[in-house]
Amino acid sequence: MSFIRKPLNRRSILRAGAMGGAALATPTIFTSRAWSAGYLNEPTGSEVVFGFNVPQTGAYADEGADELRAYQLAVKHINGEGDGGMLNTFSSKALQGGVNGKKVTYVTGDTQTKSDAARASAKRMIEKDGAIMITGGSSSGVAIAVQSLCQEAGVIFMAGLTHSNDTTGKDKRKNGFRHFFNTEMSGAALAPVLKNAFGTDRTAYHLTADYTWGWSQEGSIKKYTEGMGWKTAAAVRTPLGAGDFSQYITPVLNSGADVLVLNHYGKDMVNSLTQAVQFGLRDKQVNGKDFAIVVPLYSRLMAQGAGENVKGIFGSTNWHWSLQDEGSKAFVKSFGQEYGFPPSQAAHTTYCQALLYADAAQRAGTFDPCGIAAALEGFEFDGLGNGPTLYRADDHQCFKDVLVVKGKENPSSQFDVLEVVEVTPRAQVEYPADLLGGELGACNNGA
Amino acid sequence: MDVILLQLLNGLDKGGAYALIALGLTLIFGTLGVVNFAHGALFMLGAFCAVTFNALLSLELVTTDPEKTTAWGTPLEIRTPYVEAYLGDFGHWILNYSVPVSILLAIPVMLLIGFIMERGLIKHFYNRAHADQILVTFGLAIVLQEIVKSIFGANPIPQAAPETVRGAADIGAALGFDPGVIVYPYWRMVYLAFAGAIIAAVFAFLQFTTFGMVVRAGMADRHTVGLLGINIERRFTIVFAIAAVVAGLAGVMYTPILPPDYHMGMDFLVLSFVVVVVGGMGSLPGAVAAGFLLGILQSFASMNEVKAILPGIDQIIIYLVAVVILLVRPRGLLGRKGVMES
């Protein structure tokens, strides 16, 4: 059986050549259209999809709920709806309703405060929902895992709550950006306040959550307190979600330590602080000094959980709703009118991250991750609370003023649990870009 | 020496909670033959009885101060609990004692929950495989947990102990140690005494009442008891409700020690099952003894001196003991011969 039914001649060869050429050219036409912008999930219609990946279940669900509220408010403001919130005070005026002529929509995911669940949810939003960026997080373990996934996939990750040095240190990525502060900045801001309050002749006992954030915070606080003369009696690692910490707290009583540093967050901090107070540590005198408790990372939601036990206890925070700069006031007003209560620091940082991403895309004139990364690197801005801020190009860490807070003695409402005792200037918390190690690597646009 | 005494106290306290939950679990397994994975949820529901009672008592009279506004522009609200607004000092006293008074609320509520749970679900699984019972009760625990979360949120809700028992006692000074090295919170002592009283009450009930005698007979051989014409079904319901009350009361009294959250039942459940297995499935004295024993062992294992030699031992000690006991004595410390043995 032969497929050549006619003898070959000049005309049939020309005809076959033309058809073959067209066939060969066809993929090039389609590919050139598909890759015209050359990046993953390029929005083609009138809308662009943001992916909000927050803990909707698990120990940080309340923080996640506040993050989501802030994201929804940010979308409203980016689309030119509502009162505009912090877009009115933001130093960049690029956003004027929508981004690059498109309306912002969003999909949400539940991280469950677990790295594997968070990665699965982010992957689903990128592959199925076509999310152009992922933002959110609830713990440093989750944020680092999702940041790594976004780098591999080729989208931008705008970190939410994550305080470990590693996020923009040894685990930093070119596609990942963090507005929240870190433990190095907490240590630098907190140490001078602790020195004024408790002096330089102190012995500290650390209880530390046994994962990346706990290790990072313990290291930073030890570094700065030992630097001013404090000694460290012991640093004990405690399992996450231990519940009852009494067996870890009782050895503090006769350790010779006169300060207890609780490197715990969320539910763990609420429980360990409550139990430390129950065991009389706050009323104790050691080495002729009043015993002190320090909670290096505070959040208003967490302080509410610990109730009266936070009174007089120092810690640091990224932002607080009582700040009186125009940006903070605008955000509190906008959020308070929408939801009936003030925003938490989790809400503030995620709202800022959504605005900063949208603004960078508008300034870059594209949603190409590498174009947006370039627009965010070295970007200086003001009007989003915490004073003038820099998104440092070398490690994608924001540098801004850090707050030192104290549990309020006489709160006027259930939200008024912390008072700002010091606004530490940005210059005091800045550190060399190579201090925390890691390499940014190359940008990945998913092409 | 002082450290050992402190850890012993801590262990007793933790053991009290394990023992109370394990006691209810054993009672249900021993009489009904049901492996109840929703038992931790009953502990959690008890704790939320205290939260609910406190929330009801704390309902506030809201007035506004037109002179002052919030940061978001609405008039500032002034909130005073109704009981304090209308009953003055007596209202404050009731609020202050909300946790112990919650026991009065918890008893009927937990009886009702136990009754509904047994009649509505558990009784249909008496003759099913243990795997089915575990699956259905575990599912129920998750449902209850999610309901509580949707109502009360995910954050812990602190409950204050009455002002008179809020501090800590300097036990060390009384024993001749330096002041301040052995202190123990008053409320933990109250909890320990309460746990002892509940355990004694359950044993007395089983030992000295006719109903208890029938239940014990049922634990030994429920089929024979049924053949004697005793309405064992009704007694099973009552036993289940009693076990629910024991778990619930343990939860109520534990709230000033550990601020309740929706997940607290699961946190205790797994450990309590280990306690039951170590004590001997179906053995009430075994559950109590193993509860205290494992609580104390866990407490000692978390000492810095011990962890320096065996890192991480505090997190595995309970499971390690369970493995050794199951290998050496499969029926558990005080278990009946033949149970869990081939």
Side-chain angles (χ1 to χ4, degrees), chain A residues 205 243 247-248 250 278 284 305, chain B residues 10 14 158 180 256 258 302 304 314:
Chain A
Y205 192 108
Q247 75 261 36
Y248 299 101
T250 42
Q278 281 172 357
K284 203 172 150 64
Chain B
N10 268 335
K14 205 183 292 286
L258 197 66
S302 64
N304 295 345
D314 55 327

Side-chain angles (χ1 to χ4, degrees), chain B residues 240-262:
Chain B
F240 193 91
I242 289 171
V245 170
V246 171
L249 293 185
V252 170
M253 294 294 281
Y254 211 67
T255 55
I257 295 174
L258 197 66
D261 66 76
Y262 73 102

